[in-house]
Amino acid sequence: MISFPHCNLPVIKYDVFKLETKKLYNTPGIYAWRCKINNKYLVGETINLKNRIPNHLTYLKNGEANKKFLKDFTKYGPENFELIIYEEGSSCGDFMYRKQIEKQLSTELSLLGLCYNSITCETHTERPKGEFPSSPGVYCIRCVVNNARYYGETEQRRGLAGRISKWKSKLRANKEKILSMQEDWNFFGEENFEFLVIEEGPEWLDKEKRLKREEELCSLHVQEGGVLYNVFMKQKRPPSIPLKSKEVTLRNQTKEFRSYISTINKGRENVNRKAVFAESNIYLSIQEAAESLNISPVLVRKKIQKQLYRYATTEEIQQEKERRTTLNVGPIRLETMKKQKGQAKRCRIHGVDFNSLSEAALSLGISVQAISKNLSEKREGYFFIDEHGNPME
């Protein structure tokens, strides 16, 4: 019988046929499948026993499990196998701890010839040159040509190996969101990028410690005059602010978010902007035209559709840019055009007078659209009133 000195809990055994009726918990743990005929074990670890064990049974049905174990499982039948839970709970929350115990247990069984596992584990064996460890740590992606760098940290299941592999996949597929890095990768080629492990090992499991080290490396590189690919440093992280309405949530039209977007897009030309020829002047975007003409962007687009305005040609855009550069001026503003605001409508709702629909909506806690609909349908208790407080027909 196999010993397990690290476990203070009693060993729990489940028959394969009765496994579905037993209660498995959403907890990390260390387990083994045991063949009752030859007393061999297949040892494993997982972050979630309730998910892992049913998946294991599915793999067996599909023929995707360990080949030696699958051969005996098919030969002897499921009635001659049992699941043994050696340890579960918060004590198994650490990935490095689970892998260490799994290897110790697999090694002990292999020496007795009672293990299906191959007992090779990337985390605990010396890795070949050029590969990366499956442990948490801090890494660097460096462009050899311009010495631009990206510093990052990770603690995912496959550690640095998994994180760096994901980076390579995204860059090769041209799907990286850090445009400056993706552009350099496309221009200089993969052969001019190197992936470096700065810190690694179980002592880097603490996320705060990794983030602090990442920030130190970023600051040091900037002080030395280097270029960073990192864009979400402290001064460029999205602000944490309450979003109070659907409009704000969908369009991020708050002062803080507009400032944040402006910071990360500074110096980057927006390829989606369309220059406009309006009122005999050239404006480099619809938003700029709206602000300069004192009207809304929606109205600018409507006038373009009605052919009162039009999109500017490439030559006109170039001439306008040269004019602004030469004279050191901005867009031409027409102060004579004023934005017309709608006049507030007074209303009376269940005997209470309001100076506008917005005031009524705020007071009653319902939407302006709901109040407007009730007023237009002339529901009981809803009236428009004139300046003297008399109901209007």
Side-chain angles (χ1 to χ4, degrees):
M1 194 64 178
I2 145 182
S3 63
F4 197 70
H6 307 279
C7 179
N8 297 321
L9 301 175
V11 169
I12 305 172
K13 295 184 178 181
Y14 297 130
D15 186 84
V16 172
F17 281 130
K18 299 178 182 179
L19 183 59
E20 294 182 2
T21 62
K22 299 293 182 178
K23 190 172 183 181
L24 292 171
Y25 295 97
N26 291 312
T27 56
I30 301 163
Y31 63 92
W33 295 94
R34 175 180 172 267
C35 177
K36 299 176 183 177
I37 304 298
N38 57 22
N39 200 34
K40 280 190 175 182
Y41 295 78
L42 177 68
V43 184
E45 57 80 26
T46 179
I47 191 65
N48 191 315
L49 285 167
K50 194 168 186 177
N51 290 341
R52 177 60 179 152
I53 302 306
N55 286 345
H56 225 301
L57 294 173
T58 303
Y59 296 150
L60 284 169
K61 292 177 183 177
N62 298 336
E64 299 173 355
N66 179 292
K67 290 183 179 179
K68 296 178 182 178
F69 179 72
L70 180 60
K71 182 180 179 180
D72 284 356
F73 191 84
T74 307
K75 179 180 179 181
Y76 299 124
E79 66 275 9
N80 287 310
F81 283 81
E82 64 180 354
L83 171 69
I84 303 173
I85 306 297
Y86 286 102
E87 187 173 3
E88 64 178 342
S90 57
S91 61
C92 298
D94 183 1
F95 169 69
M96 299 297 291
Y97 170 78
R98 296 197 308 273
K99 295 303 291 186
Q100 180 183 358
I101 301 305
E102 178 191 6
K103 182 177 180 180
Q104 290 178 357
L105 194 54
S106 301
T107 304
E108 180 183 345
L109 287 165
S110 295
L111 293 174
L112 299 173
L114 300 175
C115 188
Y116 290 110
N117 300 64
S118 61
I119 72 164
T120 57
C121 176
E122 184 186 357
T123 306
H124 300 288
T125 56
E126 185 177 355
R127 66 182 186 275
K129 187 177 180 181
E131 296 187 6
F132 302 97
S134 295
S135 55
V138 181
Y139 62 92
C140 172
I141 303 174
R142 175 176 173 264
C143 177
V144 179
V145 179
N146 57 16
N147 198 32
R149 301 180 184 184
Y150 177 91
Y151 289 101
E153 54 81 28
T154 183
E155 65 171 344
Q156 68 178 57
R157 180 182 174 87
R158 289 182 56 213
L160 290 161
R163 188 72 184 106
I164 291 175
S165 175
K166 189 174 182 180
W167 268 109
K168 289 182 178 179
S169 298
K170 287 198 296 182
L171 288 165
R172 288 167 180 167
N174 199 29
K175 293 182 178 180
E176 176 49 47
K177 294 182 180 179
I178 302 178
L179 297 181
S180 55
M181 183 191 290
Q182 186 66 66
E183 289 169 0
D184 284 357
W185 177 278
N186 296 340
F187 185 77
F188 297 118
E190 181 177 349
E191 64 276 8
N192 286 310
F193 275 78
E194 58 182 2
F195 296 81
L196 309 170
V197 175
I198 308 298
E199 310 286 358
E200 62 104 354
E203 65 271 19
W204 293 94
L205 281 168
D206 184 6
K207 186 173 183 178
E208 291 297 324
K209 183 179 179 181
R210 295 196 309 272
L211 288 172
K212 185 178 179 181
R213 180 60 174 151
E214 177 190 338
E215 189 174 338
E216 288 175 357
L217 292 167
C218 288
S219 300
L220 182 62
H221 189 57
V222 171
Q223 289 171 11
E224 293 174 350
V227 177
L228 273 179
Y229 290 127
N230 300 62
V231 293
F232 293 118
M233 295 174 68
K234 273 189 176 179
Q235 66 272 23
K236 290 188 178 181
R237 280 186 177 148
S240 298
I241 56 172
L243 302 177
K244 297 180 180 178
S245 67
K246 183 178 179 181
E247 177 75 10
V248 171
T249 303
L250 293 179
R251 302 189 183 181
N252 287 338
Q253 293 298 311
T254 62
K255 181 180 178 181
E256 292 85 355
F257 264 100
R258 287 172 71 94
S259 174
Y260 159 67
I261 295 297
S262 175
T263 301
I264 64 173
N265 287 329
K266 189 174 182 180
R268 184 184 300 167
E269 187 172 349
N270 189 341
V271 295
N272 297 318
R273 283 184 177 175
K274 293 184 178 180
V276 179
F277 180 84
E279 306 298 339
S280 303
N281 298 313
I282 304 296
Y283 300 98
L284 300 182
S285 68
I286 291 176
Q287 183 64 35
E288 184 181 272
E291 292 175 355
S292 302
L293 301 175
N294 227 344
I295 57 178
S296 69
V298 175
L299 184 55
V300 173
R301 291 188 177 91
K302 285 183 177 179
K303 289 195 174 187
I304 292 173
Q305 291 175 355
K306 294 179 179 179
Q307 297 184 350
L308 298 175
Y309 296 162
R310 64 175 172 81
Y311 292 117
T313 63
T314 306
E315 293 77 12
E316 290 172 335
I317 296 171
Q318 189 61 34
Q319 289 175 5
E320 177 63 15
K321 288 182 177 180
E322 290 176 358
R323 182 190 72 82
R324 296 187 186 186
T325 303
T326 305
L327 302 177
N328 194 23
V329 294
I332 298 174
R333 298 184 178 275
L334 300 182
E335 300 296 338
T336 54
M337 299 186 68
K338 298 293 182 183
K339 196 184 293 184
Q340 295 183 355
K341 293 185 178 180
Q343 188 175 3
K345 294 182 179 180
R346 302 186 68 206
C347 62
R348 178 177 297 157
I349 301 176
H350 298 303
V352 181
D353 294 352
F354 298 98
N355 292 323
S356 67
L357 302 190
S358 297
E359 182 183 327
L362 188 62
S363 176
L364 299 175
I366 56 179
S367 67
V368 174
Q369 291 81 359
I371 293 175
S372 178
K373 183 178 180 181
N374 291 339
L375 287 166
S376 62
E377 293 178 355
K378 298 183 179 180
R379 292 195 176 182
E380 184 178 355
Y382 286 78
F383 304 96
F384 283 114
I385 58 176
D386 58 22
E387 56 185 3
H388 303 295
N390 299 320
M392 298 171 62
E393 293 295 334

